[in-house]
């Protein structure tokens, strides 16, 4: 079934900017031992080592490269990801190195891309799908929430679907409509999906490998407004073994900066904003602890609660609208777990309950330094 669908996808239509036509690896008769695609890593390609200063996008590239090299069952699929290297060049050079059977340009059909990935996962492959922009994910919403998320539960654990769906998300790049959405809470709300979002190049390099190795489906949200920011990345960090029984590394929140007065909780694109707010507050004598959630589902409440029990105050920041957002879940859990330690209500800062605005005013919509510091001041005023 998967080979037929896959051939139909790559042979029946052309993607936006890259020529299609690559066929999938032939599905083996024994689904527990899929045949390795023909082309492996080029022996001439040097393997980067040591600690390097990389952009967020380049760290993802090298993380994906390492996943492809370590496991022949990993393959990449998406619009323009092959010859073009993706609109953000995250997959640049990977098709040339691993071949068209491993890095596949697909037609402009998100539902078909995800549906094909589900079929391939059922036959033992580990597909990594790219959704070109956040707002384009909705044609595949049915496949993700009614099939991908539920197959393991529906089969009483007999089926595993190790599919990763990469989603460049968030604002700050001056894009047109449907190119700056933050739909992460829709998928965090859906049982059966892991929802992960890195905040730095080092996190991107590590988390994408952990996502690919996870036995569960993962929605991997990449803050595209941070793609060009640089950071130190340890390229020798041990990669997780494929088919790992758990993805505990992804599931733990991380204290980015210690503090004593207020806990500032963020994830993805707003972690850098939170750190800048902490630095600005420190100049005025306020000590802010910054916690990066890293994963929205499952949510590591314990790390946040441990921080809040020490600081007594909590502010949650995200780009998505505050109304029914991820911050509401964090606020509810922290209020329940830390009620007798709180000196003030848990406050939230985020986007407004409107469609994402035009590029000229998006910075008024996004939670910036002033709005975060205002919330910190309000928390301290109680």
């Amino acid at each position: 079934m998967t080979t037929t669908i896959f051939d139909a996808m790559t042979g029946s239509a052309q993607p936006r900017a890259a020529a299609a036509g690559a066929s999938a690896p032939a599905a083996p008769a024994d689904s527990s031992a899929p045949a390795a695609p023909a082309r492996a890593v080029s022996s001439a390609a040097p393997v980067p080592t040591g600690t390097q200063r990389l952009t967020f996008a380049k760290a993802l590239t090298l993380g994906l490269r390492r996943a492809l090299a370590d496991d022949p069952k990993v393959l990449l699929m998406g619009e323009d990801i092959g010859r073009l290297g993706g609109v953000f060049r995250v997959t640049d050079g990977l098709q040339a190195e691993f071949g068209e059977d491993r890095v596949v340009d697909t037609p402009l059909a998100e539902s078909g891309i995800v549906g094909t990935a589900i079929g391939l996962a059922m036959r033992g492959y580990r597909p990594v799908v790219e959704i070109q922009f956040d707002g384009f994910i909705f044609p595949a919403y049915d496949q993700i929430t009614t099939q991908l998320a539920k197959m393991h539960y529906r089969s009483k654990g007999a089926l595993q679907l190790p599919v990763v769906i990469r989603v460049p998300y968030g604002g700050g790049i001056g894009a047109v409509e449907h190119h700056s959405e933050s739909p992460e809470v829709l998928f965090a709300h859906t049982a059966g999906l892991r929802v992960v979002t890195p905040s730095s190049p080092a996190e991107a390099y590590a988390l994408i490998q952990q996502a690919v190795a996870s036995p569960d489906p993962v929605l991997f949200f990449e803050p595209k407004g941070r793609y060009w920011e640089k950071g130190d990345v340890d390229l020798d960090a041990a990669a997780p073994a494929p088919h790992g029984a758990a993805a505990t590394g992804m599931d733990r929140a991380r204290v980015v900066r210690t503090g004593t007065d207020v806990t500032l909780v963020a994830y993805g694109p707003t972690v850098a904003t939170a750190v800048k707010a902490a630095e600005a507050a420190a100049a005025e004598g306020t000590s802010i602890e910054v916690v990066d959630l890293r994963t929205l589902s499952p949510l590591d409440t314990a790390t946040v609660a441990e921080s809040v029990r020490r600081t007594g105050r909590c502010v949650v920041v995200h780009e998505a609208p505050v109304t029914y957002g991820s911050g509401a879940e964090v606020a509810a859990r922290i209020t329940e777990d830390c009620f007798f330690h709180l000196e003030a209500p848990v406050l939230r800062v985020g986007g407004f309950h409107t469609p994402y605005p035009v590029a000229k005013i998006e910075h008024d919509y996004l939670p910036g330094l002033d709005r975060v510091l205002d919330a910190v001041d309000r928390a301290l005023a109680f």
Side-chain angles (χ1 to χ4, degrees):
M1 177 183 68
T2 54
T3 303
T4 302
I5 297 174
F6 204 87
D7 287 342
M9 284 191 64
T10 55
S12 63
Q14 295 290 323
R16 195 177 281 123
S23 59
D30 179 5
S31 62
S32 65
R39 186 166 182 176
V41 181
S42 168
S43 59
V47 177
T49 59
T51 299
Q52 296 188 18
R53 190 160 185 82
L54 303 172
T55 65
F56 197 112
K58 186 62 174 180
L60 285 169
T61 306
L62 295 182
L64 289 169
R65 182 184 185 275
R66 184 165 181 175
L68 285 162
D70 288 348
D71 188 346
K73 296 179 293 297
V74 174
L75 54 90
L76 312 185
M77 302 166 56
E79 301 158 8
D80 302 341
I81 70 165
R83 297 182 188 180
L84 182 66
V87 294
F88 295 104
R89 303 301 186 267
V90 170
T91 54
D92 189 33
L94 296 181
Q95 188 181 74
E97 182 173 359
F98 292 93
E100 295 181 358
D101 289 344
R102 303 284 305 281
V103 183
V104 184
D105 279 315
T106 68
L108 187 71
E110 285 79 12
S111 181
I113 297 168
V114 174
T116 301
I118 291 171
L120 286 166
M122 291 176 69
R123 296 303 300 273
Y125 294 97
R126 305 180 79 82
V128 180
V129 169
E130 178 183 296
I131 301 296
Q132 201 169 73
F133 281 91
D134 35 48
F136 300 167
I137 199 170
F138 297 106
Y141 188 77
D142 177 59
Q143 293 281 6
I144 295 170
T145 59
T146 67
Q147 302 298 329
L148 184 62
K150 294 180 172 61
M151 200 74 75
H152 183 72
Y153 183 85
R154 187 185 302 154
S155 67
K156 297 183 178 179
L159 292 176
Q160 288 186 336
L161 297 181
V163 176
V164 177
I165 300 178
R166 295 180 43 240
V167 188
Y169 83 119
I173 65 169
V176 297
E177 189 178 18
H178 307 310
H179 290 67
S180 300
E181 308 294 326
S182 294
E184 63 273 15
V185 71
L186 301 177
F187 301 99
H189 176 76
T190 303
L193 301 173
R194 293 182 183 271
V195 179
V196 179
T197 176
S199 62
S200 69
E203 290 286 288
Y205 179 73
L207 289 178
I208 190 61
Q209 294 180 72
Q210 292 174 23
V212 175
S214 172
D216 304 315
V218 178
L219 271 292
F220 195 86
F221 284 91
E222 302 167 7
K224 57 180 174 289
R226 305 292 180 187
Y227 271 150
W228 300 274
E229 294 186 0
K230 291 186 175 182
D232 291 335
V233 179
D234 180 7
L235 298 175
D236 296 323
H243 316 295
T248 53
M250 290 192 299
D251 297 347
R252 296 290 294 177
R254 182 174 65 100
V255 177
V256 178
R257 179 187 175 103
T258 59
T260 58
D261 298 330
V262 180
T263 298
L264 198 51
V265 181
Y267 60 84
T270 57
V271 172
T273 306
V275 171
K276 289 179 181 178
E279 292 170 349
E284 299 177 353
T286 300
S287 177
I288 294 179
E289 181 151 301
V290 178
V291 179
D292 177 5
L293 290 178
R294 303 171 81 233
T295 295
L296 301 182
S297 181
L299 183 63
D300 177 15
T301 309
T303 299
V304 180
E306 181 181 353
S307 174
V308 173
R309 290 189 186 103
R310 287 186 285 101
T311 65
R313 294 172 172 83
C314 181
V315 176
V316 190
V317 186
H318 51 66
E319 286 192 6
V322 168
T323 306
Y324 303 108
S326 301
E329 180 67 19
V330 175
R333 292 196 190 188
I334 293 304
T335 299
E336 182 177 347
D337 293 348
C338 305
F339 183 79
F340 292 106
H341 295 83
L342 286 170
E343 301 291 340
V346 179
L347 302 180
R348 295 170 290 156
V349 183
F352 302 111
H353 195 50
T354 67
Y356 197 87
V358 295
K360 287 184 178 180
I361 60 171
E362 68 175 345
H363 291 291
D364 295 321
Y365 174 90
L366 296 171
L369 193 64
D370 289 342
R371 286 172 57 196
V372 174
L373 290 174
D374 175 70
V376 169
D377 288 344
R378 286 187 285 124
L380 291 169
F382 275 90

